[in-house]
């Protein structure tokens, strides 16, 4: 079939599709979104749905698949998660309206929205307790900036970002989608896999700073951006690109965004991507939320409170006043437990105001979003009444003040809405009885049409005196009045003929109508549609009333999140025995009885075993303060390193910490080099990854940084690794002058403690018992005497023959080192590859007297007296 014989519908499809070549087109046809050609093939495979065909184009069958409109959100989510973008093409008129233009006219269609990872707003497509950021990166004359927005909440931020800081900031924000200028996407392509985001290139004109400023001023209705602060050209470029992209994807229906907030690096602790990954702040190394610090600390009752907690963990503060205000808020909740519990019970009923407001602003909301606003503001007013008379710390006082002032809007929504509205406005039935008299009348006709007709019939009987008069209905005449021929003469004569209009005469009956009956018929037939239309109009007016108060509602939502987080962290502190840290501008780092919150929780859930708490003191007035940590694998070195890094982060996010006492001087940067894996995508070995991360630390860390390093140099030859670790430690001490924990298996490095004033040795203690090693998990000053590697290998389950052979090799190597003179090669050459005699079997295990006695005991048959006597016998046998 040639292009000239393409059907009108397919011609329309191809025209719309040409505007969105990089997206799947959802083409609305009645109750389905249909896809054709390559879109259909790709979507059918991604969604695991049937691929069919419809008609021909250029002589070839047209592949086709479709999804029901009512279930489209679920399919959209699957496609977005698999990396697709979807253009939603809707019918812009009804088939009846199309016919008015001619019988062969097809329904007008157009794309109303481009769905991308960073522009989701639907509740079913988003994680309620996480932000969904859309970011844009711009560079103008060697100045770089990153802007980000969450259109589901209205949050809008921007900051100047040196190119070296782009990765760490993306790790902090974890945006779903990043916009870059056309021609630059190849430079940033690696970010796509490294941070799991979708990279989108925009025309360079979209990043024009002059155009960006104009777009921003138009969006916020201001003459100049100076009212929001001072922004450089790169920042304006990034923000302008975001607005341009939202305009393109939302087809001109821009979301309700808050005024842009300019962030600076100096206000938050700098944490790079590797450190965030190693410390498992918001995601565990396995990839999920479970097992992360966020999962352990999250006791918030609201979605907005959970999102605030994630932001706090991702961006600990370096502003001392801010940290103290947050700690004071937790103090109040911890000291007033009854009030705090009442607050948390009220917060349990608070819906997600931010996202309901966003959906309403984009005209994607429904009656339930109206109810969410009503319910959320009502709960806020109750909390304001509850807390208004208390002497509150600064942060809570400010938050409580933002809860009030919505009485008129609450009253309006309360009067207008039923308690539990339906999801969609087109379903109707969400406006309360008594709110609009006209709507009540229409509903009565819709729901009680039969009784209204019966009442009219009774009135006609009374007016005519004809008791056999009936009002009936058929598909030809509609509603009509019927009487016998005998009585018809009376109705055909004045004065009744002035009211009753003759319509039809049959063999035995005569049929009439009245103006009143005709009007009633029209009302009854149209009542259902009329009621829905009236409710849609009322929905629009209620929606506008909410949007007129959007700023105040946003402030209330932020205040509820702040109160939620303070009470949640207080609840966590009380139940888990966390304490308020001393946070100041000193260089102190003194932790007593510190614990790793995630490991402690895991131990409690799995075995009920207590976590072994440990101290750490890296305090120093001016010099570096470094602990060189030795001890065997499995002893808990990595846990100890991580828990102290987390201690600083938790304190500076403004929370109590898992310790008996904590004094932390402000940390500017947090670096972690713990664990490693190959980076095959970049062709980098484990050792190379380790060196790159170590280089980043040594090149960036300042004297206010906190650094944890584990096994530097282990990925290469022994002497190479030792020399690298040695030089790294010296650089930290002499140049960076940072507070640091440095774990190593190179026992030779313990000699540095005597040479460098700021270095102390510490070790994780173990106990050896009959050839086995018992981990005590206690950290104390001093150095480990050995690594216990063979014992750990034995615990891991290596074959007994391998363990025995390892002991022989180890003994020979240690003997040669003690006696001196023999090189490692000579020692190895002296060890036969294959012994002339087989490796002796492991010694037979002999049961002790106690074990033999235990085997004969039947607990269920013992009397209390016999059990007591048995304990004495077992104790005596144990001595022997």
């Amino acid at each position: 079939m040639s292009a000239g014989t393409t059907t009108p519908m397919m011609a329309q499809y191809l025209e719309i599709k040409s505007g969105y070549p990089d997206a799947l087109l959802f083409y609305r046809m009645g109750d389905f979104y249909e896809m054709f050609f390559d879109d259909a093939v790709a979507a059918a495979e991604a969604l695991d749905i049937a691929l069919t065909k419809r008609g021909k184009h250029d002589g070839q069958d047209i592949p086709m698949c479709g999804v029901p409109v009512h279930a489209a959100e679920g399919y959209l989510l699957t496609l977005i998660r698999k990396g697709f973008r979807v253009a939603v093409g809707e019918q812009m008129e009804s088939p009846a309206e199309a016919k008015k233009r001619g019988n062969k006219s097809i329904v007008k269609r157009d794309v109303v929205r481009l769905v991308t990872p960073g522009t989701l707003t639907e509740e079913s497509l988003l994680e309620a307790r996480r932000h969904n950021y859309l970011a844009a990166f711009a560079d103008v004359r060697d100045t770089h900036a990153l802007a980000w927005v969450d259109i589901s909440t209205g949050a809008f931020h921007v900051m100047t970002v040196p190119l070296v800081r782009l990765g760490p900031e993306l790790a902090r924000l974890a945006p779903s989608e990043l916009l870059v200028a056309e021609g630059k996407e190849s430079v940033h392509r690696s970010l796509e896999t490294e941070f799991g985001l979708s990279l989108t290139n925009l025309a360079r004109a979209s990043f024009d700073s002059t155009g960006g400023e104009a777009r921003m001023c138009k969006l916020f209705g201001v003459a100049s951006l100076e009212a929001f602060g001072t922004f450089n050209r790169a920042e304006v470029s990034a923000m302008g690109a975001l607005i341009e992209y939202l305009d393109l994807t939302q087809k001109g229906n821009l979301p309700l965004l808050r005024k842009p907030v300019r962030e600076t690096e100096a206000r938050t602790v700098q944490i790079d991507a590797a450190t965030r990954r190693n410390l498992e702040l918001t995601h565990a190394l396995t990839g999920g939320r479970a097992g992360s610090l966020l999962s352990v600390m999250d006791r918030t009752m609201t979605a907005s409170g959970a999102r605030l907690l994630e932001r706090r963990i991702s961006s600990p503060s370096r502003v001392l006043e801010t940290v103290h205000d947050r700690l004071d808020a937790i103090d109040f909740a911890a000291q007033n437990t009854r009030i705090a519990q009442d607050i948390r019970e009220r917060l349990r009923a608070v819906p997600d105001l931010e996202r309901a407001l966003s959906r309403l602003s984009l005209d994607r909301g429904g009656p339930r979003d109206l109810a969410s606003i009503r319910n959320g503001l009502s709960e806020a007013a109750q909390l304001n009444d509850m807390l208004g008379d208390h002497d509150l710390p600064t942060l809570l006082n400010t938050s409580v003040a933002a809860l009030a002032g919505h009485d008129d809007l609450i009253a309006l929504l309360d009067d207008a809405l039923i308690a539990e509205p339906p999801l969609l406005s087109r379903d109707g039935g969400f406006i309360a009885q008594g709110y609009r008299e006209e709507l009540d009348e229409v509903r009565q006709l819709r729901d009680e049409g039969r009784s209204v007709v019966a009442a009219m019939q009774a009135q006609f009987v009374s007016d005519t005196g004809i008791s056999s008069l009936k009002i009936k209905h058929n598909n030809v005449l509609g509603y009509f009045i019927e009487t016998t021929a005998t009585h018809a003469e009376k109705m055909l004569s004045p004065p009744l003929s002035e009211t009753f209009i003759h319509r039809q005469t049959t063999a035995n009956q005569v049929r009439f109508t009245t103006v009143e009956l005709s009007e009633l018929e029209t009302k009854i037939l149209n009542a259902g549609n009329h009621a829905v239309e009236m409710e849609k109009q009322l929905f629009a007016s209620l929606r506008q009333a909410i949007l007129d108060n959007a700023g105040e509602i946003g402030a209330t939502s932020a205040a509820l999140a702040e109160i939620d987080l303070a009470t949640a962290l207080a609840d966590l502190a009380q139940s888990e025995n966390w304490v308020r840290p001393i946070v100041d501008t000193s260089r102190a780092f003194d932790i007593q009885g510190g614990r790793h919150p995630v490991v402690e929780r895991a131990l409690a859930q799995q075995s009920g075993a207590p976590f072994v708490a440990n101290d750490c003191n890296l305090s120093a007035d001016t010099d570096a303060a470094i602990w060189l940590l030795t001890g065997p694998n499995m002893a808990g070195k990595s846990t100890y390193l991580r828990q102290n890094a987390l201690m600083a982060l938790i304190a500076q996010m403004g929370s109590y910490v898992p310790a008996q006492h904590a004094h932390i001087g402000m940390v500017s940067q947090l670096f972690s080099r713990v664990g490693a894996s190959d980076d095959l995508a970049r062709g980098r070995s484990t050792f190379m990854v380790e060196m790159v991360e170590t280089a980043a630390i040594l090149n960036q860390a300042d004297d206010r940084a906190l650094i944890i390093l584990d096994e530097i140099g282990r990925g290469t030859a022994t002497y190479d690794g030792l020399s690298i670790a040695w030089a790294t430690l010296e650089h930290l001490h002499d140049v960076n002058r940072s507070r640091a924990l440095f774990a190593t298996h190179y026992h030779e490095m313990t000699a540095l403690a005597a040479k460098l004033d700021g270095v102390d040795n510490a070790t994780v203690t173990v106990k050896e018992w009959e050839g086995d090693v018992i981990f005590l998990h206690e950290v104390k000053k001093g150095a480990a005497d050995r690594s216990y590697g063979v014992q750990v290998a034995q615990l891991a389950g290596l074959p007994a023959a391998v363990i025995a052979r390892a002991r022989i090799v180890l003994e020979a190597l240690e003997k040669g080192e003690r006696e001196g003179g023999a090189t490692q090669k000579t020692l190895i050459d002296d060890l036969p590859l294959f012994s002339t005699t087989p490796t002796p079997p492991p010694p037979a295990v002999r049961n002790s007297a106690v074990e033999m006695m235990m085997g004969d005991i039947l607990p269920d048959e013992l009397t209390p007296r016999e059990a007591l006597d048995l304990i004495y016998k077992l104790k005596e046998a144990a001595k022997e």
Side-chain angles (χ1 to χ4, degrees), residues 3 136 156 177 245 279 304 413 476 510 514 534 568 585 647 684 747 755 817 853:
F156 192 8
E177 190 174 358
Y245 187 66
L279 295 181
S304 58
L413 296 173
V476 177
V510 180
T514 68
M534 287 182 71
T585 57
M647 209 71 65
R684 302 196 305 196
H747 294 172
K755 298 179 180 180
E817 189 173 305
M853 290 176 66

Side-chain angles (χ1 to χ4, degrees), residues 629-693:
L629 189 65
T630 52
N633 285 318
M634 294 290 293
K637 294 197 303 298
S638 293
T639 297
Y640 180 73
L641 296 181
R642 287 185 172 101
Q643 78 186 40
N644 285 293
L646 291 178
M647 209 71 65
L649 182 148
I650 294 170
Q652 286 186 224
M653 65 171 273
S655 170
Y656 283 26
V657 297
Q660 294 173 359
H661 169 80
H663 181 188
I664 295 172
M666 276 286 184
V667 170
S668 61
Q669 302 161 296
L670 196 56
F671 290 108
S672 165
R673 163 86 283 293
V674 180
S677 60
D678 292 336
D679 188 351
L680 298 179
R682 299 191 196 180
R684 302 196 305 196
S685 67
T686 300
F687 179 67
M688 185 61 177
V689 171
E690 179 185 315
M691 290 298 98
V692 167
E693 292 179 2

Side-chain angles (χ1 to χ4, degrees), residues 540-696:
S541 67
L542 294 172
R543 169 179 170 267
Q544 190 57 52
I546 288 171
L547 296 181
D548 289 343
N549 292 273
E552 294 83 357
I553 295 172
T556 296
S557 178
L560 288 167
E562 200 71 68
I563 295 168
D564 183 18
L565 183 54
T567 53
L569 291 177
D571 183 71
L572 173 70
Q574 289 177 307
S575 64
E576 301 298 325
N577 195 27
W578 291 21
V579 298
R580 174 171 178 153
I582 300 168
V583 183
D584 55 28
T585 57
S586 71
R587 284 172 50 83
F589 192 88
D590 182 12
I591 308 297
Q592 296 173 21
R595 312 185 304 277
H596 192 301
V598 180
V599 177
E600 184 178 35
R601 172 74 61 83
L603 284 174
Q605 292 176 342
Q606 293 167 11
S607 63
F611 184 92
V612 179
N614 280 297
D615 301 343
C616 180
N617 193 340
L618 302 177
S619 301
D621 293 333
T622 55
D623 293 330
I626 302 173
W627 275 19
L628 186 64
L629 189 65
T630 52
N633 285 318
M634 294 290 293
K637 294 197 303 298
S638 293
T639 297
Y640 180 73
L641 296 181
R642 287 185 172 101
Q643 78 186 40
N644 285 293
L646 291 178
M647 209 71 65
L649 182 148
I650 294 170
Q652 286 186 224
M653 65 171 273
S655 170
Y656 283 26
V657 297
Q660 294 173 359
H661 169 80
H663 181 188
I664 295 172
M666 276 286 184
V667 170
S668 61
Q669 302 161 296
L670 196 56
F671 290 108
S672 165
R673 163 86 283 293
V674 180
S677 60
D678 292 336
D679 188 351
L680 298 179
R682 299 191 196 180
R684 302 196 305 196
S685 67
T686 300
F687 179 67
M688 185 61 177
V689 171
E690 179 185 315
M691 290 298 98
V692 167
E693 292 179 2
T694 304

Side-chain angles (χ1 to χ4, degrees), residues 45-97:
E45 181 179 359
L47 299 174
D48 193 23
I49 58 178
L51 180 67
T52 60
K53 55 188 177 182
R54 174 181 178 137
K56 291 183 180 293
H57 181 74
D58 289 341
Q60 300 293 321
D61 290 333
I62 301 174
M64 182 186 85
C65 70
V67 299
V69 170
H70 71 271
E73 283 187 9
Y75 292 106
L76 268 176
L77 180 60
T78 301
L79 291 171
I80 293 298
R81 284 180 174 169
K82 291 189 175 183
F84 293 96
R85 305 151 71 79
V86 180
V88 180
E90 292 287 358
Q91 295 179 178
M92 309 306 288
E93 61 182 357
S94 67
E97 289 171 324

